[in-house]
Amino acid sequence: MIAATPALRPLVCRAPITFYSKRITLQCSKRFIATSTAAPPSTTAAASKASALGLLTAELDKIAPRFEVDANSIRIIRTPSDFYSTLKDRILKAERRIFLSTLYIGKSEHELIEVLRESLRIHPHLKVSILSDALRGTRETPNPSCASLLAPLIAEFGPERVEIRMYHTPNLKGLKKKVVPKRINEGWGLQHMKLYGFDDEIIMSGANLSTDYFTNRQDRYHLFFSRQLTNHYERIHQTICSLSYKVIPDDGAAGYVLEWPQSNPAPIPTEEPDTFRSVATSLLNPLIAPWTDTSRKTEKSKTFVYPLAQFTPLLRPKDTSTEHPALSVVLQQLSRDEAQTSQWIFTAGYFNIHPELKQLLLESKSAKGTVITAAPEANGFYGSKGVSGMLPPAYTLLARRFLGDVVKAGKIDHIELREWRKGTIGKDPDAWTYHAKGVWVTLPHDPNPAVTLIGSSNYTKRSYSLDLEMNALVVTEDEGLKERLKNETEWLQEHSRKVTMEDFERTERRVSLKVRVALWLVGALGGQL
C-alpha cells in the first residue's frame, strides 16, 4: 500500500451472490482497517492518501469486478493520429483475436478495412468480431454504409472467421420508429461502447472508427496490456453480439441484409422488448457484478482497473449498471472534510452532465475543480444543416446553466469552466473538434491524479438511460502512472480557455428560442442529447 503507517490489514469476508435474480445479497466486502499504530507528523500526508484510497477501493469492490495490473502496462496515447497508428499496428500483429465494439466505422474507411483484410490473410487462425449500432451503421442505406463496408470481409473469409453484429435498441419500435427521421433516431438509444481488443491488449477510448477520429478529433485513448482484463471485456463484447443482428453479405443494392439468428438467446428487441430485456439481464448481470471470490484479490499490485458498464436499457426489473454508482462513489469522496486539498477535472465534448453528478461536483470541498468542454466551434456538429446544426448552441446553453449553478452554489472561486478550441470547424483547414471525456481525481496532499475514468460515456442522462456504455476506472498508487495522468490533463488543456458568465452574455453566444424549444421537445419525446 502507499504507507506503512497507519498499518493496513485486510479483513476478508466472503459474500454470497446470486445471479439471474432480482437482487444481489452482499454481506460484506474486502476493505482495509487502520490499526492504532501512531503516525509521526512526517507521514501524515502519505497516511491521508492511503486512507482515502483505501476507503475508495473498499467501496468500489462492492460495485464492480477488480483487476490488478502493472502500472507500466498502461500506455496513454495522445493524438488521433497516434491512436490510428496504434490501432493499425495492433490489428496487423494480432494472431488470435480482434474484437472491435464501436458506434460505427466510417463508410469511407477503406484503409482500415484493408488492414483487417491483410491481418486475416497473414494469420490463418485469426478471428475478427465487430459490433456496431444498427441505427447508425445502416443510416445511409442503400448508399454506402458501415454495414456495406464490412460485409465483403465475411464473403471473403467466411462467417467462421469474421462476424459483424449490429445492436438495435429496444426503445425505438412501432410507430415511433417509422416517424422519427433517421438523422435523429439515435436519440432513443445506441450501442455506444468503444472496445478495441487485439490478442491480450485492449484500447479503451471514446473514439469511433472514422477519419475525423483518426486525424482531427481529440479524444482519449488508454492501451492496457492485460490478458485477464482483455478477456473480461471480450466476454461483454460477445454477449452484446449475441443480442444483436448479424450482417449477411447480399447481392442486392444495399450489399447486405440484417438477420436475427436462431442461435441468439433472445427474441428481436423491437418485437418482444420485455422478453429481450429479461434474457439480456440474465446474461449481463454475472459479467458486471462485483467479485465475491476474494482469492482473486492478491494485493500485489499498486494499480487496479474496475470495468464499469452502463446497460440501463437492457436491465430489468432492477438496473444493476455499475458506472453511475461507481462514479458517484468517487465524487462523494470529494465532499468529505479531508478532501479540502484534493482536486478534480471533468471533461465531456458534449456537455450535458447528469443532474446527480453535477450536484456532487457542486458539493465537493476540493480546492480546485475544472470542467473542460468543447467550444461551439470545436463541436462536431458545428455548421451542420438541419436539426443537428442546433446541437452546438444547445450544448452552449447547458454549459451556461452549469456555470450559473456554480455561481449560485458560491463555488466560483473553486470551480472553473474551460472551453476547448483549436480553430473553427468548416472555416479553418487545420481545425480540430473535441470529443474527449473523462474524470481525474487528485487525492489530498498529492500533486498528481490517482484516479481516472476512461471510456465511452458522456456522463449524460442519455448515457445513463438509453445507450450501452463501457468504461475503465483506474485507481493507482504508482507515482509513474500518476505523473502520466497529470501530463494527460495538461495536454488536454493546451487549447482551452476559462469562460465566464460575461462570455455567455456576448451576442454571438446567445441561444435562440428555436434551439431552446428543440431541446425541450427532444426530452418530451423520450430522447436525450
Side-chain angles (χ1 to χ4, degrees):
M1 302 302 294
I2 294 176
T5 49
L8 299 177
R9 55 183 177 85
L11 175 63
V12 179
C13 299
R14 296 195 179 275
I17 185 167
T18 303
F19 299 126
Y20 310 112
S21 64
K22 293 184 179 180
R23 63 190 260 195
I24 296 173
T25 303
L26 187 59
Q27 294 177 336
C28 58
S29 65
K30 188 171 193 177
R31 64 181 66 226
F32 296 99
I33 301 176
T35 69
S36 58
T37 305
S42 62
T43 64
T44 301
S48 176
K49 288 188 290 182
S51 176
L53 211 57
L55 287 170
L56 179 59
T57 56
E59 293 302 314
L60 293 173
D61 284 346
K62 302 174 187 177
I63 297 172
R66 183 180 83 182
F67 292 83
E68 301 179 16
V69 302
D70 185 337
N72 293 323
S73 70
I74 302 176
R75 174 187 164 196
I76 301 176
I77 301 170
R78 179 167 181 171
T79 67
S81 59
D82 290 340
F83 166 58
Y84 190 35
S85 296
T86 304
L87 186 72
K88 292 186 292 183
D89 177 70
R90 292 312 192 269
I91 289 174
L92 286 173
K93 289 179 179 178
E95 298 180 355
R96 296 179 288 106
R97 63 177 173 181
I98 295 174
F99 62 96
L100 309 174
S101 302
T102 188
L103 176 58
Y104 66 96
I105 295 180
K107 59 188 178 182
S108 61
E109 295 309 312
H110 301 292
E111 181 185 42
L112 180 61
I113 301 305
E114 188 55 40
V115 172
L116 284 166
R117 181 176 286 112
E118 181 66 17
S119 190
L120 283 161
R121 288 172 181 163
I122 295 172
H123 307 294
H125 300 294
L126 176 64
K127 293 185 178 182
V128 174
S129 176
I130 300 176
L131 170 67
S132 69
D133 184 76
L135 297 175
R136 176 64 74 89
T138 63
R139 188 167 65 186
E140 298 88 354
T141 302
N143 295 320
S145 65
C146 172
S148 65
L149 180 74
L150 294 170
L153 287 176
I154 306 170
E156 183 173 351
F157 296 99
E160 301 82 12
R161 297 189 64 197
V162 178
E163 182 180 62
I164 312 299
R165 294 283 188 148
M166 293 199 162
Y167 166 86
H168 192 294
T169 177
N171 293 328
L172 189 65
K173 59 185 184 298
L175 180 61
K176 187 185 294 184
K177 182 174 181 179
K178 292 179 180 179
V179 301
V180 173
K182 286 185 177 181
R183 184 65 178 169
I184 63 171
N185 62 8
E186 60 195 60
W188 279 259
L190 295 169
Q191 190 309 103
H192 200 248
M193 301 186 300
K194 280 80 175 184
L195 307 174
Y196 306 131
F198 327 90
D199 287 346
D200 297 331
E201 302 173 348
I202 185 167
I203 297 176
M204 298 296 297
S205 180
N208 294 304
L209 303 180
S210 63
T211 300
D212 49 352
Y213 288 95
F214 300 153
T215 55
N216 65 348
R217 177 166 288 192
Q218 183 66 59
D219 214 298
R220 297 179 67 209
Y221 335 85
H222 285 200
L223 174 61
F224 296 84
F225 302 81
S226 169
R227 176 181 297 179
Q228 292 76 19
L229 189 63
T230 304
N231 286 346
H232 182 79
Y233 281 114
E234 187 193 26
R235 285 191 288 270
I236 290 172
H237 166 95
Q238 293 295 352
T239 300
I240 301 298
C241 282
S242 74
L243 299 167
S244 302
Y245 284 97
K246 195 172 187 177
V247 174
I248 307 295
D250 185 73
D251 294 332
Y256 72 92
V257 293
L258 294 183
E259 174 185 278
W260 192 264
Q262 290 186 348
S263 58
N264 279 12
I268 297 174
T270 55
E271 294 182 1
E272 300 180 56
D274 291 339
T275 305
F276 175 80
R277 290 187 177 104
S278 178
V279 174
T281 299
S282 69
L283 296 174
L284 291 168
N285 267 346
L287 295 176
I288 66 177
W291 287 343
T292 56
D293 181 1
T294 55
S295 65
R296 301 193 197 189
K297 304 173 185 177
T298 64
E299 302 302 336
K300 292 181 180 179
S301 176
K302 291 185 177 182
T303 302
F304 304 145
V305 178
Y306 294 87
L308 301 181
Q310 198 68 33
F311 294 148
T312 302
L314 301 180
L315 302 177
R316 296 291 188 277
K318 180 180 179 181
D319 184 3
T320 53
S321 296
T322 55
E323 183 209 321
H324 189 277
L327 180 53
S328 297
V329 162
V330 171
L331 298 183
Q332 285 165 3
Q333 301 297 312
L334 302 175
S335 64
R336 296 165 56 88
D337 290 337
E338 298 84 351
Q340 292 181 11
T341 58
S342 67
Q343 298 185 38
W344 56 263
I345 296 175
F346 173 95
T347 188
Y350 303 137
F351 186 73
N352 185 17
I353 185 171
H354 191 282
E356 292 177 6
L357 299 182
K358 179 178 71 173
Q359 189 60 35
L360 288 172
L361 293 179
L362 293 174
E363 292 174 355
S364 70
K365 296 183 179 180
S366 302
K368 183 178 181 182
T370 303
V371 173
I372 312 166
T373 189
E377 299 83 358
N379 187 296
F381 295 100
Y382 185 78
S384 297
K385 297 179 180 179
V387 175
S388 59
M390 299 186 199
L391 291 175
Y395 287 118
T396 294
L397 177 61
L398 295 169
R400 174 178 178 163
R401 289 175 178 173
F402 170 79
L403 192 58
D405 290 337
V406 172
V407 173
K408 292 177 183 177
K411 294 294 183 72
I412 198 64
D413 292 331
H414 298 281
I415 300 176
E416 69 175 17
L417 176 66
R418 303 184 68 86
E419 287 187 341
W420 192 99
R421 180 180 178 183
K422 189 177 180 181
T424 301
I425 289 297
K427 294 184 179 180
D428 302 327
D430 297 326
W432 285 27
T433 56
Y434 186 76
H435 195 253
K437 44 264 195 137
V439 177
W440 298 259
V441 173
T442 300
L443 298 176
H445 310 293
D446 201 348
N448 299 319
V451 180
T452 192
L453 180 60
I454 183 170
S456 62
S457 180
N458 286 305
Y459 316 117
T460 64
K461 283 186 176 180
R462 171 173 165 171
S463 296
Y464 297 129
S465 60
L466 299 174
D467 292 345
L468 305 188
E469 310 283 7
M470 202 68 218
N471 308 272
L473 181 65
V474 180
V475 181
T476 187
E477 302 173 32
D478 184 86
E479 296 301 331
L481 178 55
K482 289 196 288 186
E483 185 174 352
R484 298 200 300 275
L485 291 173
K486 176 68 171 180
N487 292 338
E488 182 186 32
T489 66
E490 290 176 345
W491 79 55
L492 280 174
Q493 295 184 72
E494 285 179 356
H495 299 284
S496 72
R497 73 173 186 89
K498 182 178 178 180
V499 292
T500 65
M501 292 300 293
E502 288 74 20
D503 291 314
F504 287 116
E505 294 296 335
R506 299 201 311 267
T507 302
E508 64 270 21
R509 299 301 298 271
R510 292 179 181 173
V511 179
S512 68
L513 178 62
K514 180 174 67 174
V515 171
R516 294 172 186 265
V517 171
L519 187 62
W520 172 85
L521 186 60
V522 169
L525 292 175
Q528 295 288 346
L529 293 183

